[in-house]
Amino acid sequence: SPFDKATVPPFRMNQFGGTAGGPIVKDRTFFFASYEGLIQRQGITQTGFVPSDAFRARAVAAVKPLINLYPEGQTPTPTTDVWQWTGVGKATQDEHVGLVRVDHRFTDNLSGYFRFSKNSTEIFAPNAQLPYGTRNLDAPTSGLFDFLYLVSPRTTNELRLAANYAQPLNSIPSGAQAAISIPSLSTIPGGNRRLAVGITQSLIDQWSTLRGAHTLKAGVEIRRVQLIVHDFNLSDGTASYASLTDFQNDKLNTLAGSGELPTKQMRKIEYFGYVQDEWKIRPNFTANIGLRYEFFNAFHEIRNRDIPFDLQGCGGYCPVGSDFAFPPTTNFAPRLSFTWAPDRLKGRTVIRIGAGIFYGDAQLGDQYSPANNDASRYTLSAVSTPGLAYPFDPFINPNAALAAAPRSMPRNHPNQTSQQWGLSIQQALTKKITLMVGYNGQQNYHVFSRTYVNVINPATGQAPIPSLNQIDVRGEDGVSSFHGLVSTLQMNNWHGLLIRANYMFSHALNDGSAGGGSSDGAAQNVACRSCDKGNSSYDARHVFTANFAYQIPFRRSHWYGGWQWSGTSTARTGLPLSVSVTRKASDVPDGNVLSTERPNLVPGVPLYLDYGTTGLWLNPAAVAIPAKGTWGNLGRNVLRAPGLFQIDTALSKQFRVTEHMGLDLGAEAFNILNHPQLGAPGVNISSTSNFGKITTPINTSPVGAGTPRQVQVFMRLSF
């Protein structure tokens, strides 16, 4: 990558496996089994910013244990107290996946199969900036029984019984009591250990029948979800200093986190159903009409050890064992689409139009906040707790019966709702070339969002509930939208050549909410969520992809025949960036610095610099620290990171070894041009050592777009 030194870190990946299948009982019972293994070792160049020797010598004794968690720097920076450290971390992945399937025909009308799979994975992912990393152990397991009954030549019924089990263990062995955040220095990750067990069991029945011009389908699902969370936290929080000087003198700005939580078991049962009619109104006109119902339900703790915090319903803490939430029961989701090939256009044009309403349940991990409130939780700042410093222990009450900083989830809240619609026109330009142009849109409501309440009221200088710290609210009151123009050009089998090219021009907006359990961050001003409306973090304005496959026209009867050349290319514009600033809690109007604070925009100064000349992507002179008692006026996600451009290619050949044995050989090259794939720059203007600098590539994993050039060879033997 562009950040590797003279010696390129090694990368080795070995992927291997096999499949086997055949009859157990002739014409009645069959088996299939597969295994795949992946052993991977990858060196990752790490670039971090650490205290200089001069800073280490001046710092007070109390913070020396924190300073010692940083490695020794090798290269001075323009900031005297900061040096740059460069190292190589070792990313490892050991993965083994097995699957067994048995099919059986009971009668001419009844058949079924059983499938079981298990995955064992151990991954260590190095920190991008410091010699630490995250270790993940996981072994997801799934199994199902499926039975298909032919009621008549036109009617079928399918019954499925399924279960999934996962037990991921996540740990960061850093030795830090909390994540330590200091402007101009790389963040030290907090050491913690967490084990969660997820179990899902479901019963699904699906019915289908043909009735003249109608294909009718209906189905129901009952799903039982169980989540068991074990927290073995050394700490689960963040301690931040507002400046290097404050760190040197041990003047903490904020401290937020939690102590060890007792094991909790959450359960819920969900219900779903649907009906659908595919109606062939005319040979060239088809309608799909459907209605789906979804009841996601709410968790309950099996021993009633949950303590919801609900200001509206309970005025604060609810009695122990109260309902997590009161789930909506009216999630009816209609779907409607039409396909039309006008006769006047001689069947060369197809028009498709459709719309629907969809509901979501957010991430399960964001739904059990009532199970987090019977342990030590705290949100402290230099304003609320004068003299806040490291070590933290004197400022925390580990024996608190209830959290001082509750996690809250509105108990009366709707599920995530998405209204989606689309239109496309597909035209056959020639017998082998087609063009499709379309539009996709969606408007999303009740999207997962995160914010903090019980902050200081600027008018009174006090929090509404002085006895509590800031309250972490995980709700579903965000909004987002997406509008995209998509086009596809495809050429099929022109002298052995197949090409497909896609282009999308789109715009995604939100107010900091993202859905799916993720968030673009809490609003800068929690009293004005709409002030954070802007580009979504995944808003790639222009995206182009293309792929091709070409059968090289050599005679297959010769050894040099039967070769196939293929490739893909990807190009997109950069993703949005939010510039931030670290401020003292006393400088912010509401005292809340857990949100992302933004700077002021300096008018008339360019935001970007010539990266090749200056080594900076963003211009430090274009932004400034806001005046005390005001919020910054720079919008959220108004800047962009570098884009991505990559070409992958492959060459392969099929050999016929014998009548019953074949051999596939080939080589693949990813990012064959080794185009520099630059990641996002530093965006905190308080970190003068790295603001605007790019120190990592887009992708530090070995898979996906944005890697350095990688080459692999493969072989597959079938018999």
Side-chain angles (χ1 to χ4, degrees):
S1 85
F3 309 99
D4 291 338
K5 300 304 179 183
T7 301
V8 178
F11 172 46
R12 297 289 183 270
M13 183 181 77
N14 295 280
Q15 190 173 3
F16 44 90
T19 63
I24 299 175
V25 178
K26 185 178 180 181
D27 297 332
R28 186 171 293 274
T29 308
F30 304 86
F31 83 95
F32 176 83
S34 70
Y35 163 78
E36 184 175 1
L38 178 69
I39 305 297
Q40 187 169 268
R41 302 292 182 265
Q42 181 186 19
I44 303 292
T45 297
Q46 301 165 296
T47 302
F49 297 92
V50 302
S52 66
D53 291 343
F55 183 90
R56 293 171 185 264
R58 294 198 314 270
V60 299
V63 298
K64 289 296 178 66
L66 299 180
I67 291 179
N68 291 337
L69 294 174
Y70 285 101
E72 293 280 348
Q74 303 112 338
T75 309
T77 72
T79 304
T80 306
D81 289 335
V82 179
W83 279 39
Q84 180 175 306
W85 172 82
T86 303
V88 176
K90 187 176 182 181
T92 64
Q93 180 174 350
D94 296 345
E95 185 170 4
H96 304 276
V97 185
L99 179 145
V100 175
R101 171 169 168 159
V102 177
D103 290 73
H104 182 72
R105 185 169 59 86
F106 298 93
T107 68
D108 290 340
N109 291 346
L110 178 63
S111 62
Y113 69 87
F114 166 73
R115 187 184 70 220
F116 175 83
S117 65
K118 186 174 180 62
N119 182 322
S120 176
T121 303
E122 180 176 354
I123 297 175
F124 180 79
N127 186 290
Q129 297 182 323
L130 293 176
Y132 300 107
T134 303
R135 185 171 302 280
N136 292 288
L137 302 175
D138 201 0
T141 304
S142 67
L144 70 85
F145 290 93
D146 186 282
F147 302 95
L148 180 63
Y149 181 61
L150 302 178
V151 181
S152 72
R154 296 185 300 175
T155 304
T156 63
N157 192 83
E158 181 182 21
L159 176 66
R160 175 173 293 184
L161 305 171
N164 299 306
Y165 176 88
Q167 187 177 345
L169 171 64
N170 176 281
S171 63
I172 304 176
S174 73
Q177 191 176 352
I180 310 298
S181 176
I182 306 144
S184 292
L185 300 180
S186 298
T187 297
I188 300 172
N192 63 68
R193 179 179 171 88
R194 182 187 178 106
L195 175 66
V197 178
I199 304 171
T200 303
Q201 299 154 314
S202 59
L203 183 152
I204 303 171
D205 190 85
Q206 300 182 103
W207 172 84
S208 176
T209 187
L210 298 174
R211 290 291 185 268
H214 298 268
T215 301
L216 302 174
K217 296 180 180 180
V220 295
E221 177 181 1
I222 302 173
R223 182 189 305 162
R224 182 177 185 265
V225 181
Q226 182 171 342
L227 192 62
I228 305 171
V229 180
H230 310 266
D231 278 307
F232 307 98
N233 294 331
L234 300 174
S235 178
D236 180 17
T238 300
S240 71
Y241 292 88
S243 66
L244 281 170
T245 301
D246 283 355
F247 179 45
Q248 174 188 317
N249 296 306
D250 193 19
K251 296 181 179 180
L252 262 179
N253 190 33
T254 64
L255 175 64
S258 66
E260 183 174 337
L261 293 168
T263 298
K264 298 293 179 66
Q265 299 185 52
M266 278 71 67
R267 290 178 184 168
K268 64 177 179 175
I269 298 179
E270 304 173 327
Y271 302 91
F272 311 93
Y274 73 91
V275 292
Q276 178 181 317
D277 181 10
E278 183 179 321
W279 181 14
K280 203 169 187 64
I281 301 173
R282 296 183 58 189
N284 65 337
F285 189 79
T286 302
N288 269 283
I289 306 168
L291 179 66
R292 182 173 174 85
Y293 174 76
E294 298 178 321
F295 177 66
F296 291 105
N297 214 336
F299 274 126
H300 70 278
E301 211 282 326
I302 63 172
R303 293 183 176 86
N304 295 318
R305 294 175 296 175
D306 34 275
I307 311 175
F309 187 92
D310 183 1
L311 284 174
Q312 290 75 27
C314 302
Y317 277 113
C318 301
V320 177
S322 297
D323 290 330
F324 274 43
F326 308 109
T329 58
T330 57
N331 289 345
F332 291 97
R335 317 283 167 83
L336 181 64
S337 67
F338 301 98
T339 302
W340 180 36
D343 290 333
R344 291 185 179 183
L345 300 178
K346 302 178 181 180
R348 297 171 61 86
T349 304
V350 179
I351 300 171
R352 299 178 177 89
I353 186 170
I357 296 177
F358 302 82
Y359 294 99
D361 194 29
Q363 290 279 50
L364 298 181
D366 295 313
Q367 298 179 28
Y368 62 84
S369 58
N372 289 325
N373 288 330
D374 59 344
S376 174
R377 289 191 59 80
Y378 42 87
T379 304
L380 310 175
S381 72
V383 173
S384 64
T385 311
L388 189 63
Y390 179 85
F392 317 135
D393 295 344
F395 304 95
I396 301 169
N397 179 10
N399 299 316
L402 296 175
R407 278 187 174 170
S408 177
M409 178 181 68
R411 295 200 295 164
N412 284 293
H413 67 269
N415 291 120
Q416 297 179 358
T417 306
S418 178
Q419 299 175 354
Q420 302 182 19
W421 58 91
L423 167 69
S424 70
I425 301 174
Q426 188 174 20
Q427 176 69 43
L429 303 179
T430 69
K431 291 182 178 180
K432 298 184 180 296
I433 301 176
T434 60
L435 174 66
M436 187 278 292
V437 178
Y439 160 74
N440 293 326
Q442 60 178 273
Q443 183 68 47
N444 308 311
Y445 305 95
H446 313 303
V447 183
F448 172 81
S449 58
R450 187 175 187 180
T451 190
Y452 295 92
V453 298
N454 202 40
V455 298
I456 293 174
N457 183 336
T460 64
Q462 297 290 328
I465 310 177
S467 60
L468 295 176
N469 303 155
Q470 288 181 200
I471 300 167
D472 180 356
V473 180
R474 302 189 180 196
E476 295 182 359
D477 59 353
V479 296
S480 65
S481 63
F482 173 85
H483 301 277
L485 175 67
V486 295
S487 58
T488 300
L489 181 67
Q490 182 164 323
M491 181 172 64
N492 294 317
N493 196 21
W494 182 73
H495 299 290
L497 177 64
L498 184 148
I499 297 177
R500 182 183 179 94
N502 307 278
Y503 168 71
M504 180 175 69
F505 172 65
S506 64
H507 193 191
L509 292 164
N510 66 18
D511 57 359
S513 57
S518 61
S519 173
D520 278 357
Q524 175 181 237
N525 177 2
V526 299
C528 183
R529 187 171 193 85
S530 61
C531 297
D532 269 34
K533 186 173 182 180
N535 299 315
S536 297
S537 293
Y538 49 83
D539 175 49
R541 195 64 53 87
H542 301 274
V543 179
F544 174 82
T545 62
N547 58 72
F548 76 92
Y550 180 49
Q551 296 289 342
I552 300 176
F554 293 144
R555 293 178 58 184
R556 291 183 173 272
S557 58
H558 290 70
W559 67 268
Y560 52 79
W563 287 91
Q564 177 175 281
W565 180 31
S566 60
T568 64
S569 62
T570 302
R572 65 161 173 80
T573 51
L575 299 177
L577 297 172
S578 271
V579 176
S580 62
V581 59
T582 300
R583 306 176 68 187
K584 293 180 180 293
S586 57
D587 291 345
V588 180
D590 60 3
N592 173 31
V593 288
L594 296 180
S595 302
T596 301
E597 299 294 323
R598 298 191 295 274
N600 283 335
L601 176 66
V602 178
V605 179
L607 292 168
Y608 301 94
L609 295 176
D610 183 345
Y611 180 73
T613 303
T614 65
L616 294 176
W617 183 262
L618 302 178
N619 186 358
V623 287
I625 298 175
K628 184 176 181 178
T630 65
W631 279 291
N633 61 22
L634 184 65
R636 185 183 64 87
N637 278 351
V638 296
L639 283 82
R640 297 271 170 173
L644 180 147
F645 174 76
Q646 180 166 327
I647 296 176
D648 307 329
T649 190
L651 189 65
S652 61
K653 175 180 169 55
Q654 294 180 332
F655 293 90
R656 177 59 60 189
V657 180
T658 68
E659 182 179 353
H660 299 290
M661 182 179 293
L663 180 67
D664 291 353
L665 291 176
E668 299 171 321
F670 305 93
N671 191 11
I672 191 170
L673 301 180
N674 206 29
H675 181 79
Q677 309 289 4
L678 301 177
V683 293
N684 189 327
I685 69 170
S686 302
S687 295
T688 56
S689 60
N690 71 336
F691 176 73
K693 293 182 180 178
I694 299 175
T695 58
T696 61
I698 291 178
N699 185 359
T700 57
S701 76
V703 296
T707 65
R709 179 168 53 221
Q710 298 172 349
V711 179
Q712 69 179 26
V713 294
F714 65 86
M715 177 185 72
R716 177 183 174 89
L717 181 67
S718 57
F719 56 92

